[in-house]
Amino acid sequence: MYIKQLSLVQFRNYSEEQWMFHPSINMLTGLNGMGKTNVLEAIYFLCMGKGYFSALDKYSVKQAESFFRIAGIVESDDKHDTKIVIKYKEGGRKEIEINGTALEKLSDHVGKIPCVLFSPEDVTLLLDTSEARRNFLNNTLVQYDANYLKAILLYNKLLKSRNAYLKQMVYLKSYDEKYLESLEEQMAEPALFIFEQRKGLVKALNEIFEKTYALISGEHENCSVTYQSQLYDKDLLQAWKDTRNHDKMVSRTGFGIHKDDILLWMNDKPIKHYGSQGQLKSFVLSLKMAQYHLLKSIKNTKPVIMLDDIFDKLDNQRVKHLIDILSTNEFGQVFITDTDHKRVPEIISQLSAGGKQFTIFEGNIQNTTEYEPAQ
């Protein structure tokens, strides 16, 4: 599976542009701020139906414009083409069309084109915020488990209702205890399902992650990830009952799978406090590579992988290990952004499948170079 063609209209800093991509390596080079990362954002939109870097579609509209349009052609493993069109107009509803037919729900598209995106921002977010780490788990699971997507949407909807009612209690002289119990009973089933799926995911990811980090780092550190959840220790409904008075005081739900986390370890210590910049980036990159291999195994296809500004803060040895990994036949279509255009020919020359280099300047393709497969 690979993205053959991408067309953008009024998206981010692109007025109108079109790419014909290589099925293997695609290098997007140019100075910072030229629009390289915006191409990855558009590809992520095609795959997931929403942006990676911004949760609100309106922020992807080009400045001073009122809409954007993304169109792509994806070739499946059986050589069939699928045309995907995503349209958004400010004040309106985003539309997704597959081969000319509009989808009723975004969830109907999620998981059809598995993908993994690594960004330098991930290093800070995954190390600093539990929300980002939960989002990483969710992003992985929704791409291969439609029931998980339904469960997380339902749980979040009910959690929002519970929190809203808790806030109302501040202004109410009385409240309906039965209503809270009803919400909690509805939340319990999706919560337990989410807990079990996340637990299994982290276990599977960790097995792959440890090997991947060893390859990228040259086996210099011992790293792992573990799953942390309140549901390990307490019965869910009983915990909500026990914490109800406290929740009323603070006007929010303090117990549940929305408090889950994954703990990141290096040599049995929290990596955030002990890792160098190169080690931190290698750690998060290895986590994304583990996500890639897991999706590949479950979906039985090679996901699209996007690596934004991947070589910054990696020493030469780690860069070499990474290139060695990418040069194997484990990967399908890869997108890499880089500010150093001279590094591209050297990298692609080591890859057996060849590739393309796109030089980006102020929202336009300045130059395109195709490289033949290495002999």
Side-chain angles (χ1 to χ4, degrees):
M1 178 179 292
Y2 81 99
I3 299 170
K4 296 172 66 173
Q5 181 179 315
L6 174 69
S7 301
L8 301 180
V9 178
Q10 312 299 4
F11 183 81
R12 295 294 183 107
N13 69 326
Y14 290 93
S15 296
E16 188 169 355
E17 191 57 274
Q18 179 174 290
W19 289 261
M20 298 297 295
F21 291 128
H22 194 278
S24 181
I25 303 293
N26 295 272
M27 303 287 293
L28 306 168
T29 59
L31 299 176
N32 290 326
M34 294 295 105
K36 305 185 301 296
T37 301
N38 293 340
V39 180
L40 302 189
E41 177 81 332
I43 294 169
Y44 190 84
F45 253 106
L46 277 184
C47 297
M48 298 295 290
K50 64 177 184 178
Y52 185 82
F53 298 99
S54 176
L56 298 178
D57 297 327
K58 65 180 182 179
Y59 294 134
S60 291
V61 177
K62 191 176 189 294
Q63 190 172 1
E65 301 296 340
S66 61
F67 77 98
F68 71 72
R69 183 180 187 273
I70 304 170
I73 297 176
V74 179
E75 182 178 295
S76 63
D77 293 340
D78 59 5
K79 305 301 180 183
H80 284 90
D81 285 353
T82 299
K83 184 175 182 180
I84 302 167
V85 177
I86 300 175
K87 297 179 287 187
Y88 171 78
K89 186 174 183 178
E90 287 187 356
R93 179 176 177 269
K94 177 172 58 186
E95 298 178 12
I96 302 177
E97 297 177 357
I98 307 296
N99 292 330
T101 301
L103 298 182
E104 293 185 5
K105 299 178 295 183
L106 169 63
S107 58
D108 292 336
H109 180 59
V110 175
K112 302 299 183 185
I113 310 169
C115 70
V116 173
L117 194 157
F118 169 85
S119 164
E121 296 176 11
D122 293 331
V123 178
T124 300
L125 287 173
L126 284 171
L127 292 172
D128 288 351
T129 70
S130 59
E131 181 182 6
R133 294 188 286 272
R134 286 191 298 275
N135 287 340
F136 170 72
L137 297 180
N138 292 338
N139 175 269
T140 307
L141 282 157
V142 299
Q143 293 196 62
Y144 66 81
D145 190 338
N147 289 327
Y148 183 89
L149 179 56
K150 292 177 184 177
I152 198 72
L153 290 174
L154 176 58
Y155 181 86
N156 287 339
K157 179 182 177 181
L158 294 167
L159 176 65
K160 185 177 180 180
S161 296
R162 189 179 191 272
N163 286 340
Y165 192 69
L166 290 169
K167 289 178 182 178
Q168 289 179 24
M169 288 181 182
V170 177
Y171 309 101
L172 298 175
K173 294 181 180 180
S174 63
Y175 61 90
D176 187 350
E177 194 85 13
K178 294 295 183 182
Y179 177 67
L180 277 179
E181 290 179 0
S182 174
L183 285 176
E184 292 160 5
E185 288 171 359
Q186 294 177 71
M187 292 168 68
E189 183 176 351
L192 291 170
F193 177 77
I194 291 165
F195 169 67
E196 292 298 330
Q197 298 307 108
R198 286 178 174 175
K199 183 167 59 173
L201 170 63
V202 174
K203 181 180 179 181
L205 276 175
N206 189 59
E207 293 175 359
I208 305 170
F209 165 77
E210 290 179 342
K211 297 175 184 177
T212 305
Y213 186 87
L215 288 172
I216 292 178
S217 68
E219 302 188 43
H220 291 152
E221 302 90 24
N222 178 30
C223 295
S224 62
V225 295
T226 55
Y227 178 44
Q228 183 181 65
S229 178
Q230 295 171 326
L231 273 67
Y232 274 119
D233 303 318
K234 294 182 180 180
D235 175 78
L236 191 53
L237 289 174
Q238 185 62 46
W240 277 327
K241 182 179 180 180
D242 293 342
T243 59
R244 200 173 290 158
N245 288 332
H246 180 266
D247 289 350
K248 292 173 190 175
M249 288 189 292
V250 297
S251 299
R252 63 179 181 273
T253 304
F255 187 94
I257 54 94
H258 57 287
K259 296 293 185 178
D260 284 358
D261 204 350
I262 50 175
L263 306 180
L264 313 177
W265 305 98
M266 174 180 286
N267 297 330
D268 299 321
K269 297 178 180 178
I271 186 173
K272 178 181 176 180
H273 303 298
Y274 296 97
S276 67
Q277 285 188 321
Q279 288 172 328
L280 295 176
K281 189 166 187 177
S282 297
F283 191 104
V284 175
L285 175 59
S286 298
L287 200 56
K288 291 300 184 91
M289 289 293 190
Q291 179 189 30
Y292 172 89
H293 286 293
L294 185 68
L295 288 173
K296 176 173 174 275
S297 174
I298 294 174
K299 302 287 290 186
N300 198 30
T301 190
K302 296 176 181 177
V304 174
I305 185 166
M306 294 160 274
L307 305 172
D308 190 23
D309 198 18
I310 190 64
F311 302 114
D312 183 49
K313 295 184 175 65
L314 291 183
D315 57 43
N316 291 335
Q317 185 178 21
R318 291 176 191 264
V319 169
K320 183 180 183 304
H321 288 314
L322 177 58
I323 293 172
D324 288 342
I325 291 171
L326 293 175
S327 66
T328 68
N329 61 4
E330 291 289 319
F331 293 89
Q333 191 174 38
V334 182
F335 294 88
I336 301 174
T337 70
D338 196 1
T339 55
D340 185 355
H341 72 278
K342 295 180 181 179
R343 182 160 36 200
V344 173
E346 178 184 350
I347 292 173
I348 298 183
S349 67
Q350 300 179 49
L351 306 178
S352 59
K356 268 187 178 181
Q357 176 185 359
F358 301 87
T359 304
I360 309 297
F361 182 75
E362 294 183 350
N364 292 282
I365 300 174
Q366 192 175 49
N367 187 52
T368 302
T369 305
E370 186 159 359
Y371 296 88
E372 296 296 324
Q375 299 299 320

